[in-house]
Amino acid sequence: MPDKIALITGSSSGFGLLTAIELAKDGFRVVASMRDLGRRQFLDSAAAAAGVADRIDVRQLNVTDFDAIPAFIDTLVREYGRLDVLVNNAGFAVAGFAEDLKLDEIRLQFETNFFGVVAMTKAALPTMRRQRSGHIIQVSSISGLHGSVTISSYSASKHALEGWSESLRMEVSSLGIKVVLVEPGAFQTDIWTRGAVMGEQATKHTSPNFQRSLRMRESVEKLPKRDPIEVARTIAAVARNPNPKLRYLVGRDAKVQLALKRILPWKWHEKVIANFLKLD
Ligand SMILES: NC(=O)c1ccc[n+]([C@@H]2O[C@H](COP(=O)([O-])OP(=O)(O)OC[C@H]3O[C@@H](n4cnc5c(N)ncnc54)[C@H](OP(=O)(O)O)[C@@H]3O)[C@@H](O)[C@H]2O)c1
């Protein structure tokens, strides 16, 4: 039986990097893509430490380079002969109160977190259809099921991903293709620092939300964040599972947040959040 092939986007740090290692340890041959090969040393040293460097093939790919994506996947399939798992992980967060965000900033958020995933998935589907098998694992977020203050466009991009993936799953399950959404809560990765891009207006003293933004930033910094290995192990477990569920919530915070949304009347729920975040 030939090795199973997994392709991951955004493997230079965080969940993507850790997932590359976990899948390689599980026996997958991993194509770990990243937009900047100048940052590959983090994955290279983690792979060497785990003894799986020979199972990971690092390649350059920016998920917003839509014209390059079909050729990237065709080349991979020509070289390896198949594609078993696609992990759509690359993403970032635009931060700032919605009133302060420019349309261009919101569009950029969707280009990566939503259209990047759509382009990758569409390019992978013909191969998976031909094989009559494949796992498409979307790294969404609890913010795809629950709006979050100061990341409205991030939350909207993940909500779009949720609806698109839920529909896609129904369309392709009879072809043997499994579409899965992984929904992490807060985990300690670069998305809280390097990967959080403040809207240009949001950082200005002239913004009517400037003081609220400062208070929010403090609350977000204080949020407890878990070890990201939990998410990587969940993704690897989904990749091994021949019959995965639609959604996997990861982290107690994600589970509690969703449970409260479902149980509490929305007005109460909003009050709890506003008090917690000192939103007035
Ligand atoms: N950490 C959390 O608490 C959390 C919670 C819920 C969901 N998520 C989701 O988890 C995914 C991974 O994020 P992370 O937490 O692991 O953060 P991270 O450490 O910042 O990793 C994000 C990765 O995405 C890459 N990336 C960003 N834009 C890209 C593009 N246009 N093309 C290719 N790669 C791109 C980054 O590359 P560079 O190194 O070049 O910037 C980096 O490798 C994201 O989809 C995020 O929304 C994270």
PDB file of all heavy atoms in Angstrom, residues 10-16 35-36 39 61-64 89-92 112-113 139-141 154 158 184-187 189-192 194-195, ligand 1:
ATOM      1  N   GLY A  10      -0.062  26.842   5.245  1.00  0.00           N
ATOM      2  CA  GLY A  10       0.335  27.621   6.429  1.00  0.00           C
ATOM      3  C   GLY A  10       1.112  26.797   7.444  1.00  0.00           C
ATOM      4  O   GLY A  10       0.801  26.811   8.635  1.00  0.00           O
ATOM      5  N   SER A  11       2.161  26.111   6.964  1.00  0.00           N
ATOM      6  CA  SER A  11       2.910  25.190   7.848  1.00  0.00           C
ATOM      7  C   SER A  11       4.123  25.826   8.508  1.00  0.00           C
ATOM      8  O   SER A  11       4.920  25.114   9.115  1.00  0.00           O
ATOM      9  CB  SER A  11       3.405  23.979   7.047  1.00  0.00           C
ATOM     10  OG  SER A  11       2.355  23.382   6.354  1.00  0.00           O
ATOM     11  N   SER A  12       4.274  27.146   8.387  1.00  0.00           N
ATOM     12  CA  SER A  12       5.485  27.760   8.950  1.00  0.00           C
ATOM     13  C   SER A  12       5.404  27.945  10.454  1.00  0.00           C
ATOM     14  O   SER A  12       6.425  28.180  11.106  1.00  0.00           O
ATOM     15  CB  SER A  12       5.733  29.123   8.279  1.00  0.00           C
ATOM     16  OG  SER A  12       4.625  29.961   8.533  1.00  0.00           O
ATOM     17  N   SER A  13       4.189  27.868  11.024  1.00  0.00           N
ATOM     18  CA  SER A  13       4.075  28.051  12.482  1.00  0.00           C
ATOM     19  C   SER A  13       2.767  27.435  12.980  1.00  0.00           C
ATOM     20  O   SER A  13       1.986  26.889  12.190  1.00  0.00           O
ATOM     21  CB  SER A  13       4.108  29.546  12.852  1.00  0.00           C
ATOM     22  OG  SER A  13       2.998  30.214  12.295  1.00  0.00           O
ATOM     23  N   GLY A  14       2.562  27.497  14.284  1.00  0.00           N
ATOM     24  CA  GLY A  14       1.280  27.155  14.908  1.00  0.00           C
ATOM     25  C   GLY A  14       0.742  25.783  14.549  1.00  0.00           C
ATOM     26  O   GLY A  14       1.477  24.797  14.455  1.00  0.00           O
ATOM     27  N   PHE A  15      -0.576  25.717  14.344  1.00  0.00           N
ATOM     28  CA  PHE A  15      -1.254  24.436  14.082  1.00  0.00           C
ATOM     29  C   PHE A  15      -0.677  23.749  12.836  1.00  0.00           C
ATOM     30  O   PHE A  15      -0.567  22.529  12.789  1.00  0.00           O
ATOM     31  CB  PHE A  15      -2.754  24.636  13.843  1.00  0.00           C
ATOM     32  CG  PHE A  15      -3.518  25.265  14.971  1.00  0.00           C
ATOM     33  CD1 PHE A  15      -4.687  25.979  14.717  1.00  0.00           C
ATOM     34  CD2 PHE A  15      -3.097  25.135  16.298  1.00  0.00           C
ATOM     35  CE1 PHE A  15      -5.420  26.563  15.745  1.00  0.00           C
ATOM     36  CE2 PHE A  15      -3.825  25.709  17.334  1.00  0.00           C
ATOM     37  CZ  PHE A  15      -4.981  26.430  17.047  1.00  0.00           C
ATOM     38  N   GLY A  16      -0.364  24.526  11.796  1.00  0.00           N
ATOM     39  CA  GLY A  16       0.105  23.945  10.537  1.00  0.00           C
ATOM     40  C   GLY A  16       1.416  23.196  10.738  1.00  0.00           C
ATOM     41  O   GLY A  16       1.578  22.056  10.289  1.00  0.00           O
ATOM     42  N   ARG A  35       3.923  30.236   2.713  1.00  0.00           N
ATOM     43  CA  ARG A  35       4.067  31.293   1.691  1.00  0.00           C
ATOM     44  C   ARG A  35       5.485  31.849   1.642  1.00  0.00           C
ATOM     45  O   ARG A  35       5.890  32.428   0.644  1.00  0.00           O
ATOM     46  CB  ARG A  35       3.067  32.420   1.931  1.00  0.00           C
ATOM     47  CG  ARG A  35       3.221  33.122   3.252  1.00  0.00           C
ATOM     48  CD  ARG A  35       2.221  34.246   3.391  1.00  0.00           C
ATOM     49  NE  ARG A  35       2.105  34.643   4.793  1.00  0.00           N
ATOM     50  CZ  ARG A  35       1.333  35.601   5.206  1.00  0.00           C
ATOM     51  NH1 ARG A  35       0.588  36.263   4.348  1.00  0.00           N
ATOM     52  NH2 ARG A  35       1.283  35.893   6.496  1.00  0.00           N
ATOM     53  N   ASP A  36       6.241  31.690   2.745  1.00  0.00           N
ATOM     54  CA  ASP A  36       7.582  32.262   2.807  1.00  0.00           C
ATOM     55  C   ASP A  36       8.575  31.182   3.231  1.00  0.00           C
ATOM     56  O   ASP A  36       8.655  30.845   4.424  1.00  0.00           O
ATOM     57  CB  ASP A  36       7.562  33.437   3.804  1.00  0.00           C
ATOM     58  CG  ASP A  36       8.928  34.062   3.988  1.00  0.00           C
ATOM     59  OD1 ASP A  36       9.875  33.677   3.257  1.00  0.00           O
ATOM     60  OD2 ASP A  36       9.063  34.941   4.868  1.00  0.00           O
ATOM     61  N   ARG A  39      10.933  31.145   6.247  1.00  0.00           N
ATOM     62  CA  ARG A  39      10.530  30.805   7.627  1.00  0.00           C
ATOM     63  C   ARG A  39      10.493  29.285   7.851  1.00  0.00           C
ATOM     64  O   ARG A  39       9.942  28.810   8.838  1.00  0.00           O
ATOM     65  CB  ARG A  39       9.140  31.407   7.918  1.00  0.00           C
ATOM     66  CG  ARG A  39       9.197  32.931   8.022  1.00  0.00           C
ATOM     67  CD  ARG A  39       7.850  33.542   8.360  1.00  0.00           C
ATOM     68  NE  ARG A  39       7.094  32.831   9.353  1.00  0.00           N
ATOM     69  CZ  ARG A  39       7.340  32.850  10.671  1.00  0.00           C
ATOM     70  NH1 ARG A  39       8.312  33.593  11.140  1.00  0.00           N
ATOM     71  NH2 ARG A  39       6.613  32.149  11.491  1.00  0.00           N
ATOM     72  N   LEU A  61       3.811  28.120  -1.096  1.00  0.00           N
ATOM     73  CA  LEU A  61       2.471  28.402  -1.625  1.00  0.00           C
ATOM     74  C   LEU A  61       1.779  29.473  -0.789  1.00  0.00           C
ATOM     75  O   LEU A  61       1.657  29.350   0.430  1.00  0.00           O
ATOM     76  CB  LEU A  61       1.597  27.137  -1.609  1.00  0.00           C
ATOM     77  CG  LEU A  61       0.189  27.344  -2.194  1.00  0.00           C
ATOM     78  CD1 LEU A  61       0.237  27.584  -3.699  1.00  0.00           C
ATOM     79  CD2 LEU A  61      -0.723  26.172  -1.883  1.00  0.00           C
ATOM     80  N   ASN A  62       1.354  30.535  -1.495  1.00  0.00           N
ATOM     81  CA  ASN A  62       0.518  31.550  -0.863  1.00  0.00           C
ATOM     82  C   ASN A  62      -0.921  31.237  -1.281  1.00  0.00           C
ATOM     83  O   ASN A  62      -1.206  31.153  -2.486  1.00  0.00           O
ATOM     84  CB  ASN A  62       0.932  32.941  -1.364  1.00  0.00           C
ATOM     85  CG  ASN A  62       0.189  34.044  -0.648  1.00  0.00           C
ATOM     86  OD1 ASN A  62      -0.983  33.903  -0.294  1.00  0.00           O
ATOM     87  ND2 ASN A  62       0.865  35.150  -0.409  1.00  0.00           N
ATOM     88  N   VAL A  63      -1.823  31.051  -0.323  1.00  0.00           N
ATOM     89  CA  VAL A  63      -3.184  30.611  -0.681  1.00  0.00           C
ATOM     90  C   VAL A  63      -4.004  31.701  -1.368  1.00  0.00           C
ATOM     91  O   VAL A  63      -5.099  31.432  -1.864  1.00  0.00           O
ATOM     92  CB  VAL A  63      -3.967  30.047   0.536  1.00  0.00           C
ATOM     93  CG1 VAL A  63      -3.278  28.838   1.114  1.00  0.00           C
ATOM     94  CG2 VAL A  63      -4.218  31.107   1.594  1.00  0.00           C
ATOM     95  N   THR A  64      -3.461  32.922  -1.412  1.00  0.00           N
ATOM     96  CA  THR A  64      -4.179  33.964  -2.167  1.00  0.00           C
ATOM     97  C   THR A  64      -3.632  34.088  -3.593  1.00  0.00           C
ATOM     98  O   THR A  64      -4.077  34.935  -4.357  1.00  0.00           O
ATOM     99  CB  THR A  64      -4.109  35.342  -1.475  1.00  0.00           C
ATOM    100  OG1 THR A  64      -2.743  35.735  -1.380  1.00  0.00           O
ATOM    101  CG2 THR A  64      -4.723  35.305  -0.102  1.00  0.00           C
ATOM    102  N   ASN A  89      -5.381  25.220   6.487  1.00  0.00           N
ATOM    103  CA  ASN A  89      -5.065  25.780   7.800  1.00  0.00           C
ATOM    104  C   ASN A  89      -4.672  27.260   7.752  1.00  0.00           C
ATOM    105  O   ASN A  89      -4.934  27.997   8.698  1.00  0.00           O
ATOM    106  CB  ASN A  89      -3.908  24.948   8.389  1.00  0.00           C
ATOM    107  CG  ASN A  89      -3.240  25.644   9.545  1.00  0.00           C
ATOM    108  OD1 ASN A  89      -3.789  25.705  10.636  1.00  0.00           O
ATOM    109  ND2 ASN A  89      -2.057  26.209   9.304  1.00  0.00           N
ATOM    110  N   ALA A  90      -4.062  27.706   6.648  1.00  0.00           N
ATOM    111  CA  ALA A  90      -3.524  29.072   6.596  1.00  0.00           C
ATOM    112  C   ALA A  90      -4.599  30.087   6.952  1.00  0.00           C
ATOM    113  O   ALA A  90      -5.731  29.992   6.476  1.00  0.00           O
ATOM    114  CB  ALA A  90      -2.978  29.364   5.198  1.00  0.00           C
ATOM    115  N   GLY A  91      -4.247  31.051   7.776  1.00  0.00           N
ATOM    116  CA  GLY A  91      -5.218  32.083   8.125  1.00  0.00           C
ATOM    117  C   GLY A  91      -4.591  33.147   8.992  1.00  0.00           C
ATOM    118  O   GLY A  91      -3.494  32.984   9.528  1.00  0.00           O
ATOM    119  N   PHE A  92      -5.303  34.257   9.118  1.00  0.00           N
ATOM    120  CA  PHE A  92      -4.863  35.325  10.019  1.00  0.00           C
ATOM    121  C   PHE A  92      -6.116  36.073  10.475  1.00  0.00           C
ATOM    122  O   PHE A  92      -7.232  35.729  10.056  1.00  0.00           O
ATOM    123  CB  PHE A  92      -3.849  36.255   9.327  1.00  0.00           C
ATOM    124  CG  PHE A  92      -4.456  37.242   8.368  1.00  0.00           C
ATOM    125  CD1 PHE A  92      -4.566  38.588   8.691  1.00  0.00           C
ATOM    126  CD2 PHE A  92      -4.941  36.816   7.134  1.00  0.00           C
ATOM    127  CE1 PHE A  92      -5.139  39.502   7.808  1.00  0.00           C
ATOM    128  CE2 PHE A  92      -5.511  37.716   6.241  1.00  0.00           C
ATOM    129  CZ  PHE A  92      -5.602  39.055   6.580  1.00  0.00           C
ATOM    130  N   THR A 112      -7.856  35.363   2.152  1.00  0.00           N
ATOM    131  CA  THR A 112      -7.060  34.287   2.761  1.00  0.00           C
ATOM    132  C   THR A 112      -7.949  33.244   3.422  1.00  0.00           C
ATOM    133  O   THR A 112      -7.879  32.056   3.097  1.00  0.00           O
ATOM    134  CB  THR A 112      -6.099  34.872   3.826  1.00  0.00           C
ATOM    135  OG1 THR A 112      -5.267  35.837   3.206  1.00  0.00           O
ATOM    136  CG2 THR A 112      -5.236  33.782   4.453  1.00  0.00           C
ATOM    137  N   ASN A 113      -8.781  33.684   4.363  1.00  0.00           N
ATOM    138  CA  ASN A 113      -9.486  32.714   5.220  1.00  0.00           C
ATOM    139  C   ASN A 113     -10.638  32.002   4.518  1.00  0.00           C
ATOM    140  O   ASN A 113     -11.010  30.912   4.908  1.00  0.00           O
ATOM    141  CB  ASN A 113     -10.053  33.415   6.464  1.00  0.00           C
ATOM    142  CG  ASN A 113      -8.975  33.870   7.420  1.00  0.00           C
ATOM    143  OD1 ASN A 113      -7.807  33.889   7.077  1.00  0.00           O
ATOM    144  ND2 ASN A 113      -9.367  34.244   8.618  1.00  0.00           N
ATOM    145  N   VAL A 139      -9.603  24.201   8.882  1.00  0.00           N
ATOM    146  CA  VAL A 139      -9.338  24.757  10.211  1.00  0.00           C
ATOM    147  C   VAL A 139     -10.172  26.035  10.320  1.00  0.00           C
ATOM    148  O   VAL A 139      -9.805  27.089   9.814  1.00  0.00           O
ATOM    149  CB  VAL A 139      -7.839  25.011  10.453  1.00  0.00           C
ATOM    150  CG1 VAL A 139      -7.628  25.535  11.880  1.00  0.00           C
ATOM    151  CG2 VAL A 139      -7.052  23.719  10.230  1.00  0.00           C
ATOM    152  N   SER A 140     -11.338  25.878  10.949  1.00  0.00           N
ATOM    153  CA  SER A 140     -12.230  27.017  11.144  1.00  0.00           C
ATOM    154  C   SER A 140     -11.919  27.602  12.518  1.00  0.00           C
ATOM    155  O   SER A 140     -10.737  27.747  12.885  1.00  0.00           O
ATOM    156  CB  SER A 140     -13.681  26.550  11.011  1.00  0.00           C
ATOM    157  OG  SER A 140     -14.563  27.622  11.170  1.00  0.00           O
ATOM    158  N   SER A 141     -12.936  27.880  13.321  1.00  0.00           N
ATOM    159  CA  SER A 141     -12.711  28.493  14.636  1.00  0.00           C
ATOM    160  C   SER A 141     -14.054  28.503  15.361  1.00  0.00           C
ATOM    161  O   SER A 141     -15.104  28.480  14.705  1.00  0.00           O
ATOM    162  CB  SER A 141     -12.237  29.933  14.430  1.00  0.00           C
ATOM    163  OG  SER A 141     -12.280  30.653  15.634  1.00  0.00           O
ATOM    164  N   TYR A 154     -12.946  38.554  10.716  1.00  0.00           N
ATOM    165  CA  TYR A 154     -12.412  37.197  10.923  1.00  0.00           C
ATOM    166  C   TYR A 154     -13.571  36.240  11.155  1.00  0.00           C
ATOM    167  O   TYR A 154     -13.676  35.181  10.532  1.00  0.00           O
ATOM    168  CB  TYR A 154     -11.466  37.209  12.130  1.00  0.00           C
ATOM    169  CG  TYR A 154     -10.907  35.849  12.517  1.00  0.00           C
ATOM    170  CD1 TYR A 154      -9.844  35.285  11.826  1.00  0.00           C
ATOM    171  CD2 TYR A 154     -11.448  35.136  13.594  1.00  0.00           C
ATOM    172  CE1 TYR A 154      -9.324  34.046  12.185  1.00  0.00           C
ATOM    173  CE2 TYR A 154     -10.934  33.901  13.959  1.00  0.00           C
ATOM    174  CZ  TYR A 154      -9.873  33.362  13.249  1.00  0.00           C
ATOM    175  OH  TYR A 154      -9.367  32.130  13.613  1.00  0.00           O
ATOM    176  N   LYS A 158     -14.890  33.066   8.822  1.00  0.00           N
ATOM    177  CA  LYS A 158     -15.015  31.693   9.319  1.00  0.00           C
ATOM    178  C   LYS A 158     -16.478  31.222   9.258  1.00  0.00           C
ATOM    179  O   LYS A 158     -16.730  30.039   9.021  1.00  0.00           O
ATOM    180  CB  LYS A 158     -14.464  31.576  10.749  1.00  0.00           C
ATOM    181  CG  LYS A 158     -12.957  31.862  10.868  1.00  0.00           C
ATOM    182  CD  LYS A 158     -12.079  30.804  10.220  1.00  0.00           C
ATOM    183  CE  LYS A 158     -10.602  30.981  10.557  1.00  0.00           C
ATOM    184  NZ  LYS A 158      -9.734  29.995   9.897  1.00  0.00           N
ATOM    185  N   PRO A 184     -11.230  25.326  16.787  1.00  0.00           N
ATOM    186  CA  PRO A 184     -10.494  25.568  18.029  1.00  0.00           C
ATOM    187  C   PRO A 184     -11.016  26.794  18.781  1.00  0.00           C
ATOM    188  O   PRO A 184     -11.518  27.752  18.176  1.00  0.00           O
ATOM    189  CB  PRO A 184      -9.057  25.824  17.560  1.00  0.00           C
ATOM    190  CG  PRO A 184      -9.025  25.474  16.099  1.00  0.00           C
ATOM    191  CD  PRO A 184     -10.425  25.648  15.605  1.00  0.00           C
ATOM    192  N   GLY A 185     -10.864  26.744  20.115  1.00  0.00           N
ATOM    193  CA  GLY A 185     -11.017  27.952  20.938  1.00  0.00           C
ATOM    194  C   GLY A 185      -9.699  28.710  20.878  1.00  0.00           C
ATOM    195  O   GLY A 185      -9.073  28.771  19.816  1.00  0.00           O
ATOM    196  N   ALA A 186      -9.255  29.257  22.031  1.00  0.00           N
ATOM    197  CA  ALA A 186      -8.016  30.062  22.032  1.00  0.00           C
ATOM    198  C   ALA A 186      -6.800  29.184  22.335  1.00  0.00           C
ATOM    199  O   ALA A 186      -6.736  28.563  23.397  1.00  0.00           O
ATOM    200  CB  ALA A 186      -8.132  31.171  23.069  1.00  0.00           C
ATOM    201  N   PHE A 187      -5.838  29.168  21.415  1.00  0.00           N
ATOM    202  CA  PHE A 187      -4.614  28.376  21.568  1.00  0.00           C
ATOM    203  C   PHE A 187      -3.402  29.279  21.340  1.00  0.00           C
ATOM    204  O   PHE A 187      -3.469  30.212  20.518  1.00  0.00           O
ATOM    205  CB  PHE A 187      -4.604  27.200  20.589  1.00  0.00           C
ATOM    206  CG  PHE A 187      -5.544  26.107  20.995  1.00  0.00           C
ATOM    207  CD1 PHE A 187      -6.890  26.190  20.677  1.00  0.00           C
ATOM    208  CD2 PHE A 187      -5.097  25.032  21.748  1.00  0.00           C
ATOM    209  CE1 PHE A 187      -7.785  25.199  21.085  1.00  0.00           C
ATOM    210  CE2 PHE A 187      -5.970  24.045  22.159  1.00  0.00           C
ATOM    211  CZ  PHE A 187      -7.329  24.124  21.831  1.00  0.00           C
ATOM    212  N   THR A 189      -0.677  30.453  19.724  1.00  0.00           N
ATOM    213  CA  THR A 189       0.090  30.435  18.463  1.00  0.00           C
ATOM    214  C   THR A 189       0.368  31.893  18.076  1.00  0.00           C
ATOM    215  O   THR A 189      -0.067  32.831  18.754  1.00  0.00           O
ATOM    216  CB  THR A 189      -0.717  29.793  17.315  1.00  0.00           C
ATOM    217  OG1 THR A 189      -1.803  30.668  17.003  1.00  0.00           O
ATOM    218  CG2 THR A 189      -1.235  28.416  17.671  1.00  0.00           C
ATOM    219  N   ASP A 190       1.016  32.055  16.934  1.00  0.00           N
ATOM    220  CA  ASP A 190       1.368  33.413  16.473  1.00  0.00           C
ATOM    221  C   ASP A 190       0.155  34.227  16.021  1.00  0.00           C
ATOM    222  O   ASP A 190       0.296  35.394  15.681  1.00  0.00           O
ATOM    223  CB  ASP A 190       2.346  33.321  15.285  1.00  0.00           C
ATOM    224  CG  ASP A 190       3.727  32.870  15.722  1.00  0.00           C
ATOM    225  OD1 ASP A 190       3.922  32.626  16.927  1.00  0.00           O
ATOM    226  OD2 ASP A 190       4.616  32.757  14.849  1.00  0.00           O
ATOM    227  N   ILE A 191      -1.028  33.595  15.960  1.00  0.00           N
ATOM    228  CA  ILE A 191      -2.183  34.354  15.471  1.00  0.00           C
ATOM    229  C   ILE A 191      -2.528  35.515  16.412  1.00  0.00           C
ATOM    230  O   ILE A 191      -3.154  36.494  15.999  1.00  0.00           O
ATOM    231  CB  ILE A 191      -3.420  33.459  15.230  1.00  0.00           C
ATOM    232  CG1 ILE A 191      -4.340  34.126  14.197  1.00  0.00           C
ATOM    233  CG2 ILE A 191      -4.158  33.149  16.523  1.00  0.00           C
ATOM    234  CD1 ILE A 191      -5.315  33.241  13.512  1.00  0.00           C
ATOM    235  N   TRP A 192      -2.087  35.427  17.656  1.00  0.00           N
ATOM    236  CA  TRP A 192      -2.380  36.492  18.629  1.00  0.00           C
ATOM    237  C   TRP A 192      -1.359  37.630  18.542  1.00  0.00           C
ATOM    238  O   TRP A 192      -1.516  38.654  19.187  1.00  0.00           O
ATOM    239  CB  TRP A 192      -2.387  35.919  20.048  1.00  0.00           C
ATOM    240  CG  TRP A 192      -3.384  34.822  20.189  1.00  0.00           C
ATOM    241  CD1 TRP A 192      -3.149  33.489  20.066  1.00  0.00           C
ATOM    242  CD2 TRP A 192      -4.788  34.954  20.444  1.00  0.00           C
ATOM    243  NE1 TRP A 192      -4.315  32.784  20.221  1.00  0.00           N
ATOM    244  CE2 TRP A 192      -5.334  33.656  20.461  1.00  0.00           C
ATOM    245  CE3 TRP A 192      -5.636  36.053  20.661  1.00  0.00           C
ATOM    246  CZ2 TRP A 192      -6.690  33.414  20.685  1.00  0.00           C
ATOM    247  CZ3 TRP A 192      -6.984  35.805  20.889  1.00  0.00           C
ATOM    248  CH2 TRP A 192      -7.491  34.504  20.898  1.00  0.00           C
ATOM    249  N   ARG A 194       1.902  38.056  15.588  1.00  0.00           N
ATOM    250  CA  ARG A 194       2.211  38.288  14.177  1.00  0.00           C
ATOM    251  C   ARG A 194       0.994  38.167  13.282  1.00  0.00           C
ATOM    252  O   ARG A 194       0.849  38.879  12.301  1.00  0.00           O
ATOM    253  CB  ARG A 194       3.220  37.202  13.730  1.00  0.00           C
ATOM    254  CG  ARG A 194       4.600  37.646  13.468  1.00  0.00           C
ATOM    255  CD  ARG A 194       5.488  36.484  13.043  1.00  0.00           C
ATOM    256  NE  ARG A 194       4.918  35.196  12.898  1.00  0.00           N
ATOM    257  CZ  ARG A 194       4.532  34.638  11.733  1.00  0.00           C
ATOM    258  NH1 ARG A 194       4.677  35.287  10.612  1.00  0.00           N
ATOM    259  NH2 ARG A 194       4.016  33.424  11.694  1.00  0.00           N
ATOM    260  N   GLY A 195       0.113  37.230  13.616  1.00  0.00           N
ATOM    261  CA  GLY A 195      -1.028  36.930  12.751  1.00  0.00           C
ATOM    262  C   GLY A 195      -2.258  37.782  13.015  1.00  0.00           C
ATOM    263  O   GLY A 195      -3.299  37.575  12.388  1.00  0.00           O
TER     264      GLY A 195
HETATM  265  N1  LIG B   1      -4.626  29.976  17.578  1.00  0.00           N
HETATM  266  C1  LIG B   1      -5.894  30.098  17.818  1.00  0.00           C
HETATM  267  O1  LIG B   1      -6.309  30.425  18.937  1.00  0.00           O
HETATM  268  C2  LIG B   1      -6.889  29.774  16.719  1.00  0.00           C
HETATM  269  C3  LIG B   1      -8.214  29.574  17.095  1.00  0.00           C
HETATM  270  C4  LIG B   1      -9.151  29.254  16.123  1.00  0.00           C
HETATM  271  C5  LIG B   1      -8.755  29.107  14.802  1.00  0.00           C
HETATM  272  N2  LIG B   1      -7.445  29.332  14.441  1.00  0.00           N
HETATM  273  C6  LIG B   1      -7.104  29.148  13.023  1.00  0.00           C
HETATM  274  O2  LIG B   1      -5.999  28.277  12.919  1.00  0.00           O
HETATM  275  C7  LIG B   1      -5.337  28.493  11.675  1.00  0.00           C
HETATM  276  C8  LIG B   1      -3.850  28.520  11.911  1.00  0.00           C
HETATM  277  O3  LIG B   1      -3.526  29.614  12.732  1.00  0.00           O
HETATM  278  P1  LIG B   1      -2.518  29.510  13.962  1.00  0.00           P
HETATM  279  O4  LIG B   1      -3.294  29.764  15.196  1.00  0.00           O
HETATM  280  O5  LIG B   1      -1.699  28.311  13.858  1.00  0.00           O
HETATM  281  O6  LIG B   1      -1.671  30.849  13.744  1.00  0.00           O
HETATM  282  P2  LIG B   1      -0.224  31.117  13.139  1.00  0.00           P
HETATM  283  O7  LIG B   1       0.811  30.470  13.973  1.00  0.00           O
HETATM  284  O8  LIG B   1      -0.163  32.592  12.946  1.00  0.00           O
HETATM  285  O9  LIG B   1      -0.233  30.372  11.725  1.00  0.00           O
HETATM  286  C9  LIG B   1      -0.899  30.884  10.605  1.00  0.00           C
HETATM  287  C10 LIG B   1      -0.229  30.330   9.376  1.00  0.00           C
HETATM  288  O10 LIG B   1      -0.958  30.774   8.228  1.00  0.00           O
HETATM  289  C11 LIG B   1       0.001  31.290   7.319  1.00  0.00           C
HETATM  290  N3  LIG B   1      -0.601  32.210   6.362  1.00  0.00           N
HETATM  291  C12 LIG B   1      -1.240  33.378   6.578  1.00  0.00           C
HETATM  292  N4  LIG B   1      -1.648  33.915   5.416  1.00  0.00           N
HETATM  293  C13 LIG B   1      -1.258  33.052   4.432  1.00  0.00           C
HETATM  294  C14 LIG B   1      -1.370  33.032   3.031  1.00  0.00           C
HETATM  295  N5  LIG B   1      -1.954  34.023   2.364  1.00  0.00           N
HETATM  296  N6  LIG B   1      -0.861  31.961   2.345  1.00  0.00           N
HETATM  297  C15 LIG B   1      -0.251  30.948   2.984  1.00  0.00           C
HETATM  298  N7  LIG B   1      -0.078  30.933   4.324  1.00  0.00           N
HETATM  299  C16 LIG B   1      -0.582  31.963   5.030  1.00  0.00           C
HETATM  300  C17 LIG B   1       1.077  31.916   8.167  1.00  0.00           C
HETATM  301  O11 LIG B   1       2.237  32.125   7.396  1.00  0.00           O
HETATM  302  P3  LIG B   1       3.386  33.205   7.786  1.00  0.00           P
HETATM  303  O12 LIG B   1       4.283  32.530   8.793  1.00  0.00           O
HETATM  304  O13 LIG B   1       4.074  33.464   6.484  1.00  0.00           O
HETATM  305  O14 LIG B   1       2.695  34.401   8.345  1.00  0.00           O
HETATM  306  C18 LIG B   1       1.220  30.822   9.214  1.00  0.00           C
HETATM  307  O15 LIG B   1       1.968  29.756   8.710  1.00  0.00           O
HETATM  308  C19 LIG B   1      -5.916  29.775  11.103  1.00  0.00           C
HETATM  309  O16 LIG B   1      -6.829  29.465  10.065  1.00  0.00           O
HETATM  310  C20 LIG B   1      -6.656  30.388  12.279  1.00  0.00           C
HETATM  311  O17 LIG B   1      -7.736  31.179  11.881  1.00  0.00           O
HETATM  312  C21 LIG B   1      -6.507  29.669  15.374  1.00  0.00           C
END
